[in-house]
Amino acid sequence: MADYRLIIIGGGLSGLAAGIRSARFGRKTLIVERHSLPGGLNSYYYRQGYLLETGLHAMTNFAAQGAKHAPLNRLFRQLKLSRKKFITHEQLGSEVIFPQASLQFSNDFDLLCEEIARHFPAGIDRFRAMAKEIDTYDPFAEVPWQSARDFLHDRLADPLLEDMLLLPLMVYGNAEEHDMDLGQFAIMFRALFLEGFFRPQGTMKDLIDMLLDQYAQFGGEIRFRAPVEGIISKDEKVRGIRLENGEEITADAVLSTVGIPGTAQLSGWPLALDMDEYIGKMTFMETISMLPEVHLPPERAGRTILFYSLNDELKYHRPAQAIDPSWGVICFPDNFQGLERQHDAPTQVRVTNAANYELWQQAAQDKEQYRQVKEECGQQSAAAVSQILGQYNQDAVFQDSFTPMTIERFTAKCGGAVYGSPIKIKSGRTPFENLFIAGTDQGYLGIVGAMLSGVTIVNQHLLG
Amino acid sequence: MTRDEIKDIILEIIEDIDEDADFDNLDADQPLRDQLDLDSMDFLDIVMELRKRYKLQIPEEDYPELATLTSCVNYLEPKLQDV
Ligand SMILES: Cc1cc2nc3c(=O)[nH]c(=O)nc-3n(C[C@H](O)[C@H](O)[C@H](O)COP(=O)(O)OP(=O)(O)OC[C@H]3O[C@@H](n4cnc5c(N)ncnc54)[C@H](O)[C@@H]3O)c2cc1C
C-alpha cells in the first residue's frame, strides 16, 4: 500500500484548497512545499516590522453572503468554511485611465455601464449586449483557442473602448501577449466587472491560516522546506515523489500545482511542444511604498485600483526595456470599505509594471548592477505614475520592490511568469493516468481562481 | 435504520454542507435542488459524505435517485437497513 492516497506538490492556494477537498472525505493526504511558508505567489513576509503581503491587491469574484451559486460562495461550501464568518471589505471603486478617456467601475456593474454611456455613447447598447453574451458563455467547455480581441472588435467596433476593457482583465490574468483566449476573457470579465474586488478582513496570513487550520482539522498533513526533486513513475503511472534530501514517498495519485514546465521537469513528461512555448512572457515588477499620507488629485481620491495607460493603445506584451512604465496598475490596499487605518500608521501604494525577464536575469548576474537596475526602474515607474497622481512618493518612509527574479525565486514559476503558461490544460490531465495538474496552468487564475482549480480537479479526478 | 432516521441523516448532511440551508417549507416530494438552491457540486458532497459515514458507494447513474427527500429515503432504505 502507498504511504498516501494523494500527494500534492505545492502549498500555494490551489494546493491548499485541493488538500482540504481531499482530506475532507477521509483520504490520507500530504502537501509538500519547498518554502518555509505556505501561500506560494500570494504569501506574506516580514520586513522592518511590517507584515507585507507579497501579492495581494484585491481578491476578485466578490459575492454577497447568501448568493449560493456565486463562485466565491460555492468555494466556501466546497471547503466547508463558513462564509458567514468570513468578513469581506468591498472596494471603494476603481478606474481605467487612458489619455483620451477614463472609466470608473465598482462592484455595482451599473456604474461601468453609466461610465461607458457617458464616454462612449455610441457603444453602450453594444456593450450591454456583449456583457449578456459573456454572462451566459461557458468558459470551461474544451473548445479551441478563440481570440478575445476579434470577439470584442466584432461586438464593440471601438478600439479605444476595447483596449480600456482589456487592460484590467489582461493584467490580472492573462498569460499570453497581445491577445487572450475568449474563455479566459469571460472568466476575467465576470470576476472583475460582474462580481468585483474585495479584501478579506485581516491579512493574507489570516486567510492562509484559515485554510491550513481547515486542512489540519480534516487530518491533512503538510511538510514545509520539502522541495520535490522528482516524480517517480513506472510506465503510464506515477508512484510517488522523491524529495531533494533523497527521501521517497509513495502515493496512489499525485497532484502538481507547480505549472506545466515544472511538472514536466519533475516527471519526465514528454511535452507536445517545445518547453519554451509553455513559459509565459508576461512578468512584472512591483514597487511597494509606505507613505505617511497619500495626497491624490481630488478626482482620483478614494480609489482602490487604477489601471493606467499613457498610450492610446494597450501594449500588453513583454517590454524591450527592463520595465515598461507607460502602463500598469496602481493599487491602494487601504482603500476598501470599512477598513480603518490606525492613527498615524503609514499608508501603502503598490505599483505594478510589465517587465522583461531576460534583462533582469542578465542584471542579476552582478549584485551591484541588479541593485542599480532596480533603483532606475523604481524611478521610471514613479515618474510615470506621477503623471497620473502628481508627486506621490516623495516622503516614502519605506520602499520595497520585487522583480521577475523575486517571483521566480519564491514561486519557481519559470521566467517569473506570474500567470504561468500561455497554453493551459483545462482538464488537468497529463500523460500519466494518476498525475494531474491544478492551479495557474490549469487555467484558473488569481486567489479565488487558484482555489477553485484545486477543488475542481480533486472533484473531477480524485474523489471517485 | 428507520425511514425517519434516514431522513434526519440526509437533512443533517445538507445542513452540514450548506450553512444557509432552510428546511422550513421543504416539500419532501419536490426536488431538493430547486428548493434549497443546491448545485451538482453540493450533490457530490452529499454522496461523498454518505460514503465516508456508511461506506456506501453510490454510482453516478444512481444520482437521480437522490432528487427529492422521499426518493433519497426510498433509495437508501435497503442499503442502510443493517446500519
Ligand atoms: C505579485 C503578485 C500579485 C498578485 N496579486 C493578486 C491579487 O491581488 N489578487 C489575486 O486574486 N491574485 C493575485 N495574484 C495571483 C495569485 O497569487 C495566483 O494566481 C495564485 O496564488 C496562484 O496559486 P497557485 O497555487 O496556482 O500557484 P503558486 O502560488 O505558485 O503555488 C505553487 C507552490 O508550489 C511550490 N513549489 C514549486 N516547486 C516546488 C517543488 N519542486 N517542490 C515543492 N514545492 C514546490 C511553490 O513554492 C508554491 O508555494 C498575484 C500574483 C503575484 C505574483
Side-chain angles (χ1 to χ4, degrees), chain A residues 21 24-25 27 65 68-69 74 77-78 80 82-84 459 463-464, chain B residues 16-20 36-39 41-42 44-45 48-49 51-52:
Chain A
R21 232 9 236 167
R24 172 174 173 181
F25 301 109
R27 271 149 205 271
Q65 192 238 316
K68 283 197 174 171
H69 296 291
R74 258 189 183 160
R77 284 206 301 284
Q78 287 280 300
K80 209 164 185 299
S82 170
R83 176 64 182 87
K84 279 185 184 153
N459 284 355
L463 289 184
Chain B
D16 197 40
I17 61 176
D18 177 11
E19 63 182 350
D20 293 324
L36 297 175
D37 210 13
L38 299 176
D39 59 33
M41 284 168 121
D42 298 316
L44 176 65
D45 282 5
M48 292 304 300
E49 201 61 44
R51 184 193 302 180
K52 187 172 118 188

Side-chain angles (χ1 to χ4, degrees), chain A residues 8-17 31-43 53-61 171-173 188 192 197-198 204 223 225-230 241-244 256-259 262-263 266 283-286 305 331 350 352 402 407-413 416-420 438-442 444-451 453-454:
Chain A
I8 298 168
I9 309 177
L13 290 158
S14 63
L16 291 173
I31 299 177
V32 281
E33 165 58 52
R34 74 210 284 257
H35 285 293
S36 51
L37 289 176
L41 280 179
N42 237 297
S43 187
E53 289 161 324
T54 34
L56 189 63
H57 284 185
M59 285 174 73
T60 56
N61 302 85
V171 71
Y172 272 178
M188 296 304 296
L192 268 66
F197 295 134
F198 71 100
M204 203 56 212
R223 286 172 61 173
R225 294 190 201 85
V228 175
E229 184 192 67
I241 56 164
R242 190 177 51 258
L243 299 178
E244 248 174 50
S256 168
T257 70
V258 307
T263 309
L266 293 176
T283 184
F284 299 91
M285 170 175 179
E286 176 152 297
I305 303 175
C331 172
R350 309 180 78 113
T352 313
F402 62 77
I407 298 177
E408 191 177 56
R409 179 148 31 93
F410 286 101
T411 67
K413 288 265 180 297
V418 175
Y419 301 131
T440 310
D441 282 355
Q442 191 248 326
Y444 293 85
L445 293 166
I447 297 168
V448 176
M451 290 195 275
S453 171

Side-chain angles (χ1 to χ4, degrees), chain A residues 288-314:
Chain A
I288 306 162
S289 309
M290 297 286 235
L291 310 163
E293 210 55 65
V294 222
H295 301 283
L296 296 184
E299 72 274 17
R300 299 266 130 77
R303 293 279 188 282
T304 305
I305 303 175
L306 301 174
F307 301 88
Y308 76 91
S309 171
L310 302 176
N311 317 300
D312 294 331
E313 274 173 37
L314 171 60

